[in-house]
Amino acid sequence: EAVTATGLLSELDVPGLEEELLERLPGWDRAYHDAVVRQIASAGAPERGRLLVILMERLDPVVWSEVVDEIGMSGDKETARALLALAQGERGAAAGPYIQAKAIEALGRLRAEGAAEALRKIVEARQVFRWAQPNELRVVAAQALQSIDPAWAAEYLPKSGLSAEDLGLAPLDPMPDAAWLRQRRYARVKLPRTMNAVAETSHGEYKMTAQLLSLGGGLAVSDARMTQGVQASLKMQAGLRPLKARVLMRKAGSQHVGFEFVEMDLEERARLRKLLTGLGKTSSVLNLSLAPPKPATVA
């Protein structure tokens, strides 16, 4: 009951909600933490980015990837300092490389000019005969800089070793005039054929067939009933070896389940990016946040 009120309270009384959640969140399990973040994001309050920054330490690290995305989508540039600490890997083991990549994407969404120097170092740094940072981290930093410092990007990226294909699949920006409060964070690719996947949870294994896929997650068909907000190790049949990630599972209808990537090795995310880029050439890329709802027809 408390969780269902958080969205409305984020519009009416942010200080009161902040005080209550800081006290209550440690006593709630992961599924409720996930629900709180989704409620706050969906309500669309102007202060939601700052609120999520404050709550982050009390939230289960499994939902941090979603939190970071929503902070970036909030449009609140006052949150950039907290995101920059994540982007530079200054938050310890709980914020691993995947959260670092997400924070860089969020800085790009915010057009955070103060992060430009740190992001340029990620793209430019070299160690003898190779680049200092993983390719996926360089890609997301370069994409962010295309928004933050387009003049630098136009000059440097052609000699960066990053291809146009690498940079083509970028996170979506928030749209102030969109009809939806909670907008799509990544374009979805409709798979030309379903992809088999197995989700391993503490309750057992569940077989699924993925139909839609993005850099943030996907939609699959599963006959098994799955607990809302359960964490799973996902393996998807992609090429010669499976694509692996930690995900949060959510119900999306009677037979459909949604899954959101919450932890992924950067090499695996690079493989996912390459897969989606290839599929996007032959199938439809869906940005469902761009189309406003059709007006109801009056009989």
Side-chain angles (χ1 to χ4, degrees), residues 36 60 96 128 161 164 167 171 245 266 271 286 297:
V36 164
D60 191 305
V128 192
L167 300 171
L266 291 182
R271 289 183 61 214
L286 308 177
T297 301

Side-chain angles (χ1 to χ4, degrees), residues 124-140:
E124 296 175 347
R126 298 188 68 96
Q127 287 182 346
V128 192
F129 300 113
R130 62 185 180 89
W131 300 103
Q133 298 294 340
N135 194 69
E136 179 64 15
L137 214 58
R138 296 184 68 235
V139 167
V140 295

Side-chain angles (χ1 to χ4, degrees), residues 29-280:
D29 64 27
R30 181 188 304 121
Y32 292 119
H33 286 203
D34 178 46
V36 164
V37 175
R38 291 164 66 82
Q39 282 273 330
I40 292 172
S42 298
E47 300 91 346
R48 67 190 184 279
R50 184 193 64 83
L51 177 61
L52 289 171
V53 167
I54 293 170
L55 297 178
M56 192 168 177
E57 291 292 342
R58 303 292 177 94
L59 289 164
D60 191 305
V62 170
V63 305
W64 279 14
S65 62
E66 181 183 8
V67 170
V68 171
D69 274 353
E70 295 297 349
I71 293 171
M73 296 295 283
S74 73
D76 185 355
K77 291 191 177 184
E78 295 299 318
T79 63
R81 181 177 297 180
L83 290 171
L84 185 57
L86 290 168
Q88 293 178 306
E90 298 174 358
R91 292 291 296 275
Y98 185 67
I99 300 299
Q100 186 178 5
K102 286 276 194 172
I104 292 170
E105 291 178 339
L107 289 167
R109 287 183 171 121
L110 291 175
R111 307 296 193 267
E113 294 90 349
E117 182 179 354
L119 297 183
R120 285 194 292 265
K121 289 179 180 178
I122 291 174
V123 179
E124 296 175 347
R126 298 188 68 96
Q127 287 182 346
V128 192
F129 300 113
R130 62 185 180 89
W131 300 103
Q133 298 294 340
N135 194 69
E136 179 64 15
L137 214 58
R138 296 184 68 235
V139 167
V140 295
Q143 289 173 333
L145 284 163
Q146 285 178 316
S147 298
I148 297 170
D149 190 353
W152 173 90
E155 179 183 352
Y156 184 80
L157 291 186
K159 57 186 178 184
S160 67
L162 300 173
S163 67
E165 187 175 67
D166 288 331
L167 300 171
L169 192 64
L172 299 177
D173 283 330
M175 300 177 61
D177 57 347
W180 311 108
L181 284 176
R182 191 167 192 228
Q183 300 171 39
R184 184 74 61 197
R185 291 168 283 164
Y186 299 94
R188 282 184 167 185
V189 174
K190 184 177 182 181
L191 302 179
R193 55 182 177 277
T194 57
M195 186 180 295
N196 293 329
V198 176
E200 183 179 345
T201 74
S202 57
H203 306 294
E205 290 188 351
Y206 299 88
K207 293 183 178 179
M208 308 184 301
T209 52
Q211 298 176 324
L212 295 172
L213 197 58
S214 79
L215 280 175
L219 184 71
V221 173
S222 176
D223 293 331
R225 298 185 64 181
M226 199 170 297
T227 305
Q228 181 80 352
V230 68
Q231 184 183 187
S233 294
L234 185 71
K235 294 182 181 179
M236 303 181 65
Q237 293 303 317
L240 297 177
R241 58 189 176 92
L243 189 70
K244 301 177 182 179
R246 299 290 293 177
V247 296
L248 275 183
M249 309 295 299
R250 304 188 183 99
K251 292 176 63 177
S254 57
Q255 288 188 310
H256 286 83
V257 293
F259 55 90
E260 178 164 358
F261 299 125
V262 297
E263 185 182 344
M264 182 184 292
D265 185 86
L266 291 182
E267 183 179 341
E268 293 292 285
R269 196 173 198 242
R271 289 183 61 214
L272 173 63
R273 181 183 298 278
K274 185 176 181 180
L275 170 67
L276 292 172
T277 301
L279 291 174

